[in-house]
Every structure is written in structure tokens, then in C-alpha cells.
Amino acid sequence: MKRIALLGMPNAGKSTFFNRLTGASARVGNWPGVTVDLLGAKVLIGSSMVEAIDLPGIYDLQGFSEDEEVVRRFLSLNPVDLALVVINTAQIERQLSLVLQLKHLGVPMVVLLNMSDEAKKLGITIDTEQLSSFLDCPVALISAKYGNGYQNGYQLIQKELNGNRPPVTVNLASSPLAEPALEEAMAQVMSTAVQIPAHASDQLTQRMDRVLLHPVAGLPIFFFIMFLLFQGIFILGKPIQDGLAWLFQLIRTTALEPLLSALPAPVTGLLLDGIYNGVGTVASFVPLIVLFFLFMALVEDSGYLSRAAFLMDALMARMGLDGRSFVMVLMGFGCNVPALMGTRVMRSRPLRLLTMLVIPFSLCSARLQVFVFSSRPCSHRPRRRWCCSACT
């Protein structure tokens, strides 16, 4: 069975393309020399069954982060028939370095210029024929999110896999591409195959960043936006929560209590006060959790979440964390479980463990209500009065 590996920098849309290619039929597997789990799936491409592996996003093959070490070990210990390198076309001047490093190592690859729709809005044009000639590999413009150009990229992948080329194990011990040679190659590619208009950097995003990332006003604006986010969640979610609570109470009084009235009192108490009320209490918090993740998805799609991580980086550093840890802590207010799972993106194991220990202090709606109900008996406990002996 042939094997393809997906490589690319973080946030280039690599996993989005992986899900589109495999139909989201991914599985988690362990690989020789790799200490973390990698997503993999078997997919039929043309007439061949192919195993696709989604490797972690990396910036450089010569880096020292855990993700880069995972990719290096995988490529050096597991033969690969083809590498699919997904890069963000809107940031092509910064992401070509990884492609050039793989070319220098002789890795057979197909370069997928993702987010071509965003690059088009910025006025960036790519001469794919010139770029393919320079890199000596097929190049395709795609949009993994919307599917534009996907068929063209799929056909290029199929054509490359139909060749009789043997699988390649990357020799990372060979001399890496020198920095001056890398910069010279990138400059040559940018001058011959890429056209970026001079006004591409003067867009609305950059003007908003000057305000949202301001050294003085950035943090107050961020806290105000977070206040609006949580306030909106509770303003919109409270009527739905009250409506669900009323509906569960109506079902209990009109249907369940008459239906279970013939049962013994302990059984009735277990079914109604224990199981039914427990399920109803948990279900009443579902609207708040759904709204929280909906709002968080909107904030993330807007790009403000990564900017929030940048803003909070200096503040979180005082606790030994970084900006990415703040994003996970913020997710913990919706639910701790996905927040803990999200710590897999942390580049350092000590930082990941420390973030996992901090996340439980983010009280999600369900746990907060448990603590409030648990503290009720303590708040009504009568205080003991102390008097002097003369009062008795």
C-alpha cells in the first residue's frame, strides 16, 4: 500500500484538506519512532488504496520543537511515496521555505497552494507553471475549505502516485539547505512566479490590527470584547435555559408523576428526583454550552482568537504559560474536556502539563452550578454566638 504524508505550516489548512481528501474517515495510530498519535486514513485514489498521514504543522525541518521532531522522525523512519505540502497562498513569501527544504532533500511532492480565494482578494497572482518548473514538482491552486480547484489537485496526486517511483526515506543527516541559498531561492521564486501588489499589505485587517493590538488600548479592548461575549451568552441562553427547565417540570408533573404513582416511594424518588432531575439539570445547561462554542467559533473564524493569544502572551508568561495556554483556558469556560484535548497543540511538554493543571480552574456552567448548590447548605448554617460569662 502506498503512503502519502501531508506537511505544512500551522494554520495553512492542511487538516482541512486531509478531511476533504479522506472524507473525515481518520483514525489515530502510533508510528515507529513517534511518541505522539498521528491521524491517518485509508483512501482510494484512482485504482490504488493509499494511506494518508496528517503530520503536525511545522515551520522548519531544522527546528527543535516537539512537532518538528515528530515530523523528522516520521520521515526518517517511515518510507513515503508522496508528500502533499499545503501552504497558505496569502502568505506564500513566508511559507515557501519549507517547500524548498523538502525539495533540497529530494522528497517527491505535490505543492497545494491553499486559500487561493483569500490570495485573490489580496490581488496575489501565482504562475503555477513557472513555480512548478522551478520546484520540479506539480503545483495546484486550491481552496480546501470551499473545494475550489480540488479536482485539479486530486488529479495531480493521482498522476504522481501512478508512477513507478519507489518510496523514499528522507535522509535528514545530509547537509541542510544553507540560509543564504534558501533566501536566494525564495527571492528567485517570488520574482518569477509570484506577483504581490504593493497595496496588499494596506488592507482593512492591518488597520484593525493597529487598534486591536495596540500596546496600551489592546488589553482593555480585549477584556471588553470578552465581557460582551459572556454577557451575550447568558442574555441569549437564559431564556432558553428557563424554557427547558419549565418544559422538564411540565413533563414531570403532567406525565411522569401520574405514570409512576403506583410504584413504591423509594423507586419513584430514584427515578424522578434522582435520574430525571439529574438529566434535566444537565440538559438545561446545554444551550449555554452550545452558545459558548458558537460564539468562540465566530471569534476564531474572525482571526481575533490568535490576536488574543498574542495580547495575553506577556501576561500569561508571569505564570509560566504563553498565549496559546490562554486560548485553552478560555475554552475551559465552555467545557474542560475539549480544552484539555486542545493542549495537544502546545509545543513544550512542561507547558502542556502546566496548562492542563490550570484549565480545571476555568469553571464551566455545569460545574459552577454544582458548586453553587453545594455551598447552599453552608450559607444557611446558623452562626454560634459567643457570650461572656456575665450574660449567663
Side-chain angles (χ1 to χ4, degrees), residues 7-27:
L7 295 97
M9 293 190 180
N11 302 317
K14 176 174 54 63
S15 296
T16 305
F17 179 80
F18 175 81
N19 290 333
R20 181 174 289 275
L21 177 67
T22 62
S25 58
R27 60 175 176 80

Side-chain angles (χ1 to χ4, degrees), residues 50 69 80 106 121 124 137 161 190 207 239 347 372:
V50 178
E69 180 65 24
V80 174
K121 291 178 183 178
I124 299 174
C137 70
L161 289 174
M190 295 299 297
R207 293 197 292 269
R347 289 180 168 267
V372 170

Side-chain angles (χ1 to χ4, degrees), residues 233 237 282 284-296 333-335 338 364-366:
I233 290 171
V282 173
S284 63
F285 296 114
V286 170
L288 295 178
I289 297 174
V290 170
L291 284 173
F292 175 82
F293 283 108
L294 175 62
F295 278 46
M296 285 295 294
F333 285 100
C335 185
C364 62
S365 302

Side-chain angles (χ1 to χ4, degrees), residues 241-349:
Q241 188 179 25
D242 294 340
L244 279 178
W246 173 82
L247 178 62
F248 280 114
Q249 184 62 30
L250 179 66
I251 294 174
R252 170 172 176 158
T253 54
T254 57
L256 294 181
E257 287 184 353
L259 182 64
L260 302 176
S261 59
L263 297 176
V267 177
T268 304
L270 174 64
L271 295 176
L272 293 178
D273 298 329
I275 298 175
Y276 183 77
N277 280 0
V279 173
T281 303
V282 173
S284 63
F285 296 114
V286 170
L288 295 178
I289 297 174
V290 170
L291 284 173
F292 175 82
F293 283 108
L294 175 62
F295 278 46
M296 285 295 294
L298 294 176
V299 172
E300 184 178 4
D301 289 343
S302 70
Y304 188 64
L305 197 59
S306 59
R307 289 161 174 80
F310 172 78
L311 284 172
M312 295 297 297
D313 189 74
L315 187 62
M316 299 296 287
R318 299 184 180 183
M319 297 187 292
L321 303 173
D322 66 359
R324 285 171 299 213
S325 304
F326 169 75
V327 175
M328 299 301 120
V329 172
L330 187 62
M331 286 185 62
F333 285 100
C335 185
N336 282 182
V337 176
L340 289 169
M341 294 175 63
T343 56
R344 292 166 59 93
V345 303
M346 310 300 294
R347 289 180 168 267
S348 167
R349 178 177 172 82

Side-chain angles (χ1 to χ4, degrees), residues 78-388:
N78 300 279
V80 174
D81 294 276
L82 185 65
L84 305 182
V85 187
V86 182
I87 66 175
N88 183 353
T89 313
Q91 300 175 357
I92 188 171
E93 71 278 7
R94 294 195 291 267
Q95 305 210 358
L96 272 175
S97 58
L98 181 61
V99 180
L100 293 172
Q101 289 177 357
L102 292 168
K103 175 180 179 289
H104 176 72
L105 293 172
V107 179
M109 58 183 176
V110 172
V111 176
L112 301 171
L113 302 177
N114 192 28
M115 304 185 191
S116 58
D117 51 331
E118 295 184 11
K120 186 177 180 180
K121 291 178 183 178
L122 294 173
I124 299 174
T125 57
I126 312 291
D127 188 338
T128 54
E129 293 184 1
Q130 286 280 352
L131 186 58
S132 175
S133 176
F134 183 85
L135 297 176
D136 194 23
C137 70
V139 177
L141 282 167
I142 67 166
S143 174
K145 183 177 181 180
Y146 299 108
N148 301 335
Y150 172 75
Q151 288 300 325
N152 182 32
Y154 183 87
Q155 291 173 3
L156 292 177
I157 296 170
Q158 181 178 347
K159 182 179 178 181
E160 288 296 305
L161 289 174
N162 287 338
N164 296 322
R165 185 172 42 206
V168 174
T169 302
V170 181
N171 182 18
L172 294 171
S174 61
S175 58
L177 186 61
E179 190 69 24
L182 178 62
E183 293 180 358
E184 182 182 352
M186 289 179 62
Q188 186 176 354
V189 171
M190 295 299 297
S191 62
T192 58
V194 182
Q195 292 183 359
I196 302 178
H199 66 274
S201 60
D202 188 23
Q203 297 293 324
L204 178 63
T205 302
Q206 281 71 25
R207 293 197 292 269
M208 292 180 64
D209 283 345
R210 295 191 191 104
V211 178
L212 297 176
L213 301 179
H214 193 273
V216 178
L219 278 177
I221 292 174
F222 166 71
F223 287 121
F224 179 69
I225 291 175
M226 289 298 103
F227 169 77
L228 292 180
L229 186 145
F230 283 101
Q231 192 70 15
I233 290 171
F234 285 102
I235 289 176
L236 296 176
K238 194 65 168 64
I240 305 175
Q241 188 179 25
D242 294 340
L244 279 178
W246 173 82
L247 178 62
F248 280 114
Q249 184 62 30
L250 179 66
I251 294 174
R252 170 172 176 158
T253 54
T254 57
L256 294 181
E257 287 184 353
L259 182 64
L260 302 176
S261 59
L263 297 176
V267 177
T268 304
L270 174 64
L271 295 176
L272 293 178
D273 298 329
I275 298 175
Y276 183 77
N277 280 0
V279 173
T281 303
V282 173
S284 63
F285 296 114
V286 170
L288 295 178
I289 297 174
V290 170
L291 284 173
F292 175 82
F293 283 108
L294 175 62
F295 278 46
M296 285 295 294
L298 294 176
V299 172
E300 184 178 4
D301 289 343
S302 70
Y304 188 64
L305 197 59
S306 59
R307 289 161 174 80
F310 172 78
L311 284 172
M312 295 297 297
D313 189 74
L315 187 62
M316 299 296 287
R318 299 184 180 183
M319 297 187 292
L321 303 173
D322 66 359
R324 285 171 299 213
S325 304
F326 169 75
V327 175
M328 299 301 120
V329 172
L330 187 62
M331 286 185 62
F333 285 100
C335 185
N336 282 182
V337 176
L340 289 169
M341 294 175 63
T343 56
R344 292 166 59 93
V345 303
M346 310 300 294
R347 289 180 168 267
S348 167
R349 178 177 172 82
L351 186 62
R352 182 163 61 247
L353 293 176
L354 183 58
T355 305
M356 293 173 68
L357 292 174
V358 173
I359 286 173
F361 290 100
S362 301
L363 299 181
C364 62
S365 302
R367 287 198 302 149
L368 183 61
Q369 297 299 324
V370 172
F371 292 149
V372 170
F373 292 149
S374 301
S375 63
R376 267 180 147 181
C378 301
S379 61
H380 294 290
R381 183 181 297 172
R383 296 181 179 178
R384 184 176 180 181
R385 297 182 178 178
W386 296 89
C387 299
C388 61

